[in-house]
């Protein structure tokens, strides 16, 4: 179930000189279970701004057990991010839907793993939660974070990360890459430039895995993710060890594929509905236009909230960032990215 | 009714049948030491190890992660690789040149079209995976691809193994050796964990430690042991250590655990040693020793040697001397505790075949021996049950 709850803002903190804002929510006792999250998952916020409903997904930037907090980077011209940075006050109520997402690290007490984290910019938010989850709840495992930023003053959670290094010198390493490092800064990063395939190779060679159950977690802009995953492929890293989420998702390219008009059977918990899909309309839009309620959030193929099982027919997905290869093979689709390719479709939302 | 040696029948130490069952139920079903982490320094390096009835090889991929596979060609079973080596990208079987990549996928079959006109699904003919991990600087393999983690296996005993970080120490190659003992592997283990014998067999070789104050016990099938330095040694300990410290002050003592099955460690203030047993037959066991010392300069070693020479000059000597010595090669006159142990093990094994053998009561300091016998029985029982009677 994907429902919104009104949560009170308990704390607001400006990060990196106002370039980002951390919002901590108060969770009433009866919602604590409903809002339990795994490190890396995100919540969806709903605002009405300029008379329009706006939904955005933000990663929970704290590990499970800590207060529910998101950290939102200010986008220039970004309607919601600027609203959060400028207009919110402690005590305000915001509509929040419970955490979801498959980019999630579930620590296991008896696991003995080596985790490599590659992040850039605000892509640190899920990784920050994951690193802490590993350090506290997977005591035999090691975490290596390679973190890319433009310059030293845009590094989110810098102090907190340094503290983690001090607390866990044997289990946590932190390396910074700066793409526009100032010559005059006293801060000397591990590397100049972006976190790219070269950086990945260098990092792994420098700190090769001791525990041999190795996992790779990547969170940055789409281009970085693609570069890193192909870099890891070149090193023969098996795909099932690579976990990825893209941040600041660029608008999915219009790849020219057209959707046809179709009629679709939509299976929901409460029964079966027959709807019509307009030519060129994505399935999520068609479902909503027909007055049905299904979960969704980012509408850009990133969050995975709108997934369904394609039981019959064929669709074209513009992007499927939020799905793993296995999901796709199993017939999962992101309805917000899907265009009908056959005149009849059957979608199942019940799992 | 078979004759008993405490909890085990004497045949457990002498017969091929028991040997085979232990190979199947213990050494083929547990984590097996395979070397030191530095034996595989770079991508492409590999080594193979016998783990009970399984031969397993480990290879480092380009991502510096280790992969383990059963060393069996999927064609007709030929062992793919020998001992140790380095490859670029692929492993080719010597028999018909089937070739596998470092992920174990079968990537090429010579004359595929003509030899297999009906087609060949190479994707079903990958090497069978096994498990590998690194723990305290040592490589371990397990024949099953989803073996329980080393944390589950060694986690409880780990805090009792001493503050050593073997990965930071450096091997002393001159101390590396391998030799055979004409005794069952359990006889050798029992000797290793026999607290009673320390003050007797080794009365003149290991008395720098205070055996009376030893602390020992068990975590599951793993034995742990620690003893403090004896007063005479402890008095000027920093000066008396023969080589630079490998653990920080104020830690002192000797840690001598025996991890199941047959992986002994002997670690002290200034060295870290492993003692790996491989059963070769019911009455033959191979021992492999390797030693790591401090990562210190030659100068620091000579300085420490010189500082400690006063203590060691007057320390120890042979257990037997004068009239008791039987010839030039008598191990009991060697002043070397390993020679003393080997001698004791072989002398004990010789008697096991005698109809007049009757084992006397176990002393308090021998409680580890009876406990190890239980560990062997329990492990075999558990595995037999897990495998189901049919497979045993
Ligand atoms: S709504 Fe986020 S992937 Fe479709
Ligand atoms: S047995 Fe290996 S190629 Fe034939
Ligand atoms: Fe001994």
């Amino acid at each position: 179930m994907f429902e919104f709850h009104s949560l009170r803002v308990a704390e607001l903190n400006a990060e990196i000189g106002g370039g980002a804002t951390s919002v901590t929510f108060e969770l009433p006792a009866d919602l604590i279970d409903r809002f339990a999250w795994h490190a890396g998952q995100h919540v969806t916020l709903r605002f009405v701004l300029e008379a329009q409903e706006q939904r955005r997904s933000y990663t929970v930037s704290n590990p499970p057990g800590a207060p529910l907090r998101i950290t939102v980077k200010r986008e220039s011209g970004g309607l919601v991010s600027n609203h959060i940075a400028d207009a919110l006050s402690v005590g305000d109520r915001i509509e929040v839907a419970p955490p979801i997402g498959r980019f999630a690290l579930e620590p296991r007490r008896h696991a003995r793993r080596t985790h490599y984290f590659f992040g850039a910019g605000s892509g640190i938010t899920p990784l920050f939660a994951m690193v802490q989850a590993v350090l506290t709840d997977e005591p035999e495992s090691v975490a290596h974070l390679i973190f890319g930023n433009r310059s030293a003053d845009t590094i989110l959670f810098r102090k907190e990360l340094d503290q983690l290094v001090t607390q866990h010198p044997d289990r946590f390493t932190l390396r910074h890459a700066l793409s526009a490092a100032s010559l005059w800064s006293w801060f000397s990063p591990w590397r100049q430039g972006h976190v790219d395939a070269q950086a990945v190779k260098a990092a792994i060679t420098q700190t090769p895995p001791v525990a041999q159950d190795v996992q790779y977690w990547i969170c940055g802009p789409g281009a970085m993710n693609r570069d890193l995953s192909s870099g890891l492929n070149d090193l023969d890293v098996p795909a099932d060890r690579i976990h990825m989420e893209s941040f600041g998702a660029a608008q999915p390219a219009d790849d020219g594929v057209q959707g046809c008009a179709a009629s679709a059977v939509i299976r929901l918990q409460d029964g079966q509905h027959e709807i019509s899909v307009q030519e060129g309309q994505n399935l999520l839009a068609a479902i909503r236009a027909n007055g049905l309620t299904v979960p969704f959030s980012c509408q850009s193929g990133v969050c995975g909230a709108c997934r369904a099982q394609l039981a019959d027919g064929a669709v074209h997905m513009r992007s499927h960032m939020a799905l793993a290869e296995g999901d796709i093979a199993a017939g999962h689709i992101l309805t917000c990215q899907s265009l009908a390719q056959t005149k009849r479709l059957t979608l199942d939302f019940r799992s | 009714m078979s004759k008993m040696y405490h909890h085990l029948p004497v045949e457990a130490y002498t017969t091929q049948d028991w040997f085979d069952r232990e190979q199947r139920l213990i050494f083929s079903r547990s984590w097996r030491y395979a070397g030191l982490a530095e034996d595989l320094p770079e991508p492409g390096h590999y080594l193979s190890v016998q783990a009970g009835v399984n031969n397993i090889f480990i290879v480092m991929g380009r991502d510096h992660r280790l992969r383990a596979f059963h060393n069996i060609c999927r064609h007709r079973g030929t062992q793919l690789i020998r001992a140790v080596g380095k490859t670029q990208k692929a492993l080719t079987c010597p028999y018909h040149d089937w070739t596998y990549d470092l992920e174990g996928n079968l990537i090429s079959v010579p004359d595929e079209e003509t030899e297999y006109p009906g087609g060949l699904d190479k994707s079903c003919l990958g090497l069978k995976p096994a498990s590998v991990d690194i723990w305290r600087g040592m490589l371990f393999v397990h024949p099953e691809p989803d073996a329980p983690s080393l944390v589950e296996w060694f986690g409880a005993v780990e805090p009792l193994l001493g503050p050593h970080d073997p990965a930071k120490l450096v091997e002393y190659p001159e101390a590396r050796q391998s030799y055979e003992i004409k005794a069952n592997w359990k006889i050798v283990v029992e000797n290793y964990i026999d607290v009673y014998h320390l003050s007797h067999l080794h009365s003149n070789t290991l008395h720098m430690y205070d055996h009376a104050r030893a602390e020992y016990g068990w975590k599951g099938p793993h034995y742990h042991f620690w003893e403090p330095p004896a007063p005479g040694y402890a008095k000027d300990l920093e000066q008396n250590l023969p080589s630079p410290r490998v653990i920080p002050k104020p830690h002192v003592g000797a840690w001598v655990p025996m991890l199941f099955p047959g992986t002994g460690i002997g670690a002290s203030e200034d060295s870290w040693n492993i003692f790996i047993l491989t059963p070769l037959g019911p009455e033959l066991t191979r021992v492999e020793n390797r030693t790591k010392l401090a990562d210190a300069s030659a100068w620091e070693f000579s300085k420490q040697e010189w500082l400690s020479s006063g203590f060691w000059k007057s320390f120890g000597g042979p257990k037997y001397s004068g009239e008791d010595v039987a010839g030039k090669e008598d191990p009991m006159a060697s002043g070397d505790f390993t020679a003393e142990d080997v001698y004791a093990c072989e002398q004990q094994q010789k008697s096991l075949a005698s109809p007049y053998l009757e084992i006397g009561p176990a002393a308090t300091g021998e409680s580890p021996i009876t406990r190890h016998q239980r560990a062997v029985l329990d492990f075999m029982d558990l595995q037999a049950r897990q495998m189901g009677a049919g497979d045993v």
Side-chain angles (χ1 to χ4, degrees):
Chain A
M1 267 298 285
F2 198 73
E3 77 289 343
F4 285 88
H5 298 267
S6 160
L7 298 184
R8 188 177 163 276
V9 174
E11 217 183 299
L12 285 169
N13 287 301
E15 312 273 1
I16 49 173
T21 310
S22 286
V23 184
T24 306
F25 296 99
E26 188 179 293
L27 269 185
D30 60 325
L31 285 182
I32 287 180
D33 286 347
R34 192 64 197 87
F35 273 79
W37 69 92
H38 295 302
Q41 288 191 311
H42 51 256
V43 290
T44 303
L45 273 57
R46 181 165 72 182
F47 295 91
V48 178
L49 298 174
E50 299 175 349
Q52 285 255 345
E53 183 183 305
Q54 305 286 347
R55 292 181 175 201
R56 295 289 186 278
S57 297
Y58 297 109
T59 308
V60 182
S61 58
N62 262 344
L68 177 65
R69 181 186 74 165
I70 59 172
T71 302
V72 180
K73 192 148 186 178
R74 191 197 283 269
E75 306 291 340
S76 69
L79 189 61
V80 176
S81 65
N82 282 294
H83 173 78
I84 289 174
D86 301 328
L88 279 191
S89 337
V90 170
D92 285 357
R93 292 196 155 265
I94 299 181
E95 297 275 286
V96 186
I100 50 167
R102 290 161 327 100
F103 184 61
L105 190 160
E106 294 180 46
R108 285 183 281 122
R109 273 225 96 66
H110 288 294
R112 197 166 163 274
R113 304 192 273 188
T114 303
H115 299 278
Y116 291 99
F117 297 97
F118 302 99
S122 52
I124 188 66
T125 48
L127 305 186
F128 183 62
M130 290 175 171
V131 165
Q132 292 186 75
V134 168
L135 293 176
T136 49
D137 294 322
E138 214 173 89
E140 304 293 333
S141 294
V142 166
H144 301 290
L145 172 62
I146 291 80
F147 187 12
N149 281 282
R150 229 169 44 75
S151 57
D153 53 353
T154 60
I155 302 176
L156 268 172
F157 305 134
R158 181 158 149 206
K159 239 190 32 231
E160 292 90 330
L161 288 169
D162 285 342
Q163 254 164 30
L164 291 176
V165 174
T166 317
Q167 284 164 17
H168 304 276
D170 300 335
R171 298 181 48 221
F172 180 47
T173 71
L174 169 62
R175 278 160 283 186
H176 289 287
L178 296 182
S179 57
S182 155
L183 277 183
W184 309 108
S185 166
W186 53 268
F187 180 85
S188 77
W190 170 65
R191 248 175 119 83
Q192 308 274 356
H194 292 282
V195 176
D196 54 12
Q198 246 62 51
V200 168
K201 212 171 157 182
I204 292 174
T205 311
Q206 204 171 60
T207 53
V210 175
Q212 295 296 313
D213 183 348
V214 187
Q215 305 292 331
Y216 307 82
W217 307 86
I218 306 176
C219 190
M224 169 181 127
N225 292 4
R226 280 191 294 279
D227 184 34
L228 262 54
S229 67
S230 77
L232 289 172
N233 288 339
D234 290 346
L235 297 177
D236 299 329
V237 174
D240 60 356
R241 295 183 177 274
I242 304 175
H243 315 274
M244 218 161 32
E245 179 152 275
S246 114
F247 244 72
Q251 233 17 55
D254 184 350
D255 49 15
V257 177
Q258 291 300 310
C260 62
S263 80
V265 175
I266 310 296
R267 292 188 188 139
L268 301 178
Q269 218 63 260
D270 69 353
Q272 190 149 311
H273 308 264
E274 177 101 29
I275 65 160
S276 58
V277 182
Q278 312 297 314
E279 186 179 329
Q281 191 179 31
N282 74 55
L283 298 182
L284 177 65
I287 290 166
R288 296 181 68 213
N290 279 273
L292 299 178
T293 313
V294 295
F296 70 95
S297 164
C298 69
Q299 300 185 38
S300 55
V302 176
C303 76
C306 67
R307 67 197 290 177
Q309 170 93 33
L310 181 64
D312 186 31
V315 301
H316 170 75
M317 271 193 278
R318 289 208 157 115
S319 119
H320 45 72
M321 199 74 82
L323 295 178
E325 299 294 319
D327 297 332
I328 296 173
H332 290 255
I333 61 166
L334 300 175
T335 53
C336 73
Q337 298 299 312
S338 296
L339 300 169
Q341 300 296 299
T342 51
K343 296 241 167 304
R344 300 206 56 87
L345 297 170
T346 303
L347 299 188
D348 196 332
F349 280 90
R350 288 172 306 178
S351 58
Chain B
M1 198 32 212
S2 43
K3 191 189 293 177
M4 296 301 284
Y5 170 2
H6 302 317
H7 298 311
L8 289 176
V10 173
E11 293 89 80
Y13 294 82
T14 55
T15 62
Q16 189 66 34
D17 177 55
W18 261 84
F19 176 83
D20 292 341
R21 283 206 303 139
E22 288 175 345
Q23 285 295 299
R24 231 171 29 241
L25 293 174
I26 299 178
F27 292 92
S28 304
R29 310 259 312 160
S30 53
W31 284 97
R32 167 77 190 158
Y33 163 91
L36 298 179
E38 52 267 44
D39 295 345
L40 295 175
E42 282 176 53
H45 283 252
Y46 59 79
L47 61 79
S48 68
V49 62
Q50 191 70 29
V53 298
N54 305 297
N55 194 273
I56 295 173
F57 76 89
I58 313 174
V59 59
M60 182 183 280
R62 282 182 294 164
D63 55 4
H64 289 252
R65 193 171 58 84
L66 303 175
R67 286 100 168 119
F69 298 101
H70 289 269
N71 192 8
I72 301 174
C73 179
R74 288 297 307 277
H75 179 219
R76 253 161 62 202
T78 310
Q79 286 203 352
L80 276 176
I81 62 160
R82 292 174 286 194
V84 293
K86 179 167 162 70
T87 172
Q88 280 313 312
K89 295 193 80 154
L91 300 162
T92 300
C93 176
Y95 208 159
H96 310 91
D97 288 340
W98 282 28
T99 298
Y100 304 84
D101 67 15
L102 300 190
E103 300 301 311
N105 302 307
L106 175 62
I107 50 175
S108 100
V109 170
D111 309 321
E112 189 176 340
E113 295 76 24
T114 48
E115 292 293 341
Y116 293 93
L120 186 70
D121 186 355
K122 294 211 280 293
S123 70
C124 306
L125 292 166
L127 297 177
K128 300 250 164 98
S131 295
V132 56
D133 209 346
I134 300 177
W135 181 75
R136 289 181 87 84
M138 293 175 277
L139 301 166
F140 282 87
V141 293
H142 193 293
E144 288 156 40
D146 44 11
S149 81
L150 281 175
V151 181
E152 285 161 79
W153 181 233
F154 287 137
V157 78
E158 178 155 28
L160 297 158
L161 302 183
H164 304 76
D165 182 354
K168 297 219 170 82
L169 308 180
V170 189
E171 183 162 22
Y172 176 58
E174 285 85 340
R176 183 169 184 173
Q177 56 169 345
S178 171
Y179 52 94
E180 287 172 9
I181 301 181
K182 292 187 209 66
N184 183 273
W185 73 280
K186 298 187 292 302
I187 292 288
V188 182
V189 168
E190 289 168 6
N191 168 262
Y192 201 83
I193 64 182
D194 175 356
V195 179
Y196 187 22
H197 89 297
L198 293 173
S199 315
H200 303 284
L201 180 65
H202 307 308
S203 55
N204 235 352
T205 42
L206 286 178
H207 55 294
M208 62 285 202
Y209 290 101
D210 191 347
H211 314 314
R213 287 166 61 212
E215 295 169 10
Y216 53 93
W218 293 79
K219 293 286 173 197
H222 309 300
Y223 171 73
H224 58 88
F225 173 99
W226 173 84
E227 58 183 359
Y233 190 46
K235 192 162 148 282
D236 289 307
L237 183 71
E238 299 313 321
Q239 185 181 321
N240 294 343
L241 295 176
S243 53
R245 264 184 173 274
V246 295
I247 52 173
K249 283 183 237 175
H251 292 290
V252 295
W255 289 259
V256 194
M258 172 55 74
L259 306 173
F260 194 79
T263 299
I265 298 176
S268 66
E269 299 89 347
D270 68 313
S271 73
W272 182 85
N273 308 274
I274 50 174
F275 179 87
I276 309 297
L277 301 187
T278 308
L280 298 177
E283 303 191 290
L284 190 62
T285 300
R286 191 175 59 235
V287 181
E288 190 192 351
N289 289 140
R290 293 175 79 170
T291 294
K292 289 182 120 181
L293 299 174
D295 186 5
S297 65
W299 154 244
E300 284 168 280
F301 274 93
S302 348
K303 189 178 74 178
Q304 192 66 38
E305 194 184 336
W306 180 77
L307 274 177
S308 62
S309 59
F311 177 83
W312 295 103
K313 197 167 60 215
S314 54
F315 179 87
K319 180 176 167 89
Y320 293 171
S321 53
E323 294 191 341
D324 293 335
V325 177
K328 271 216 305 290
E329 299 286 306
D330 187 347
M332 296 312 295
S334 66
D336 167 12
F337 75 89
T338 304
E340 292 167 347
D341 280 330
V342 172
Y343 177 74
C345 289
E346 294 185 344
Q347 292 297 91
Q348 189 190 2
Q349 183 78 36
K350 284 177 190 164
S351 304
L352 295 179
S354 163
Y356 289 89
L357 173 81
E358 198 181 334
I359 302 289
T364 304
E366 289 173 303
S367 64
I369 293 173
T370 52
R371 180 66 181 71
H372 183 255
Q373 295 184 325
R374 280 249 162 269
V376 167
L377 286 171
D378 291 349
F379 194 84
M380 288 172 68
D381 272 359
L382 180 70
Q383 298 304 319
R385 259 181 285 127
Q386 284 179 2
M387 288 167 74
D391 298 330
V392 184

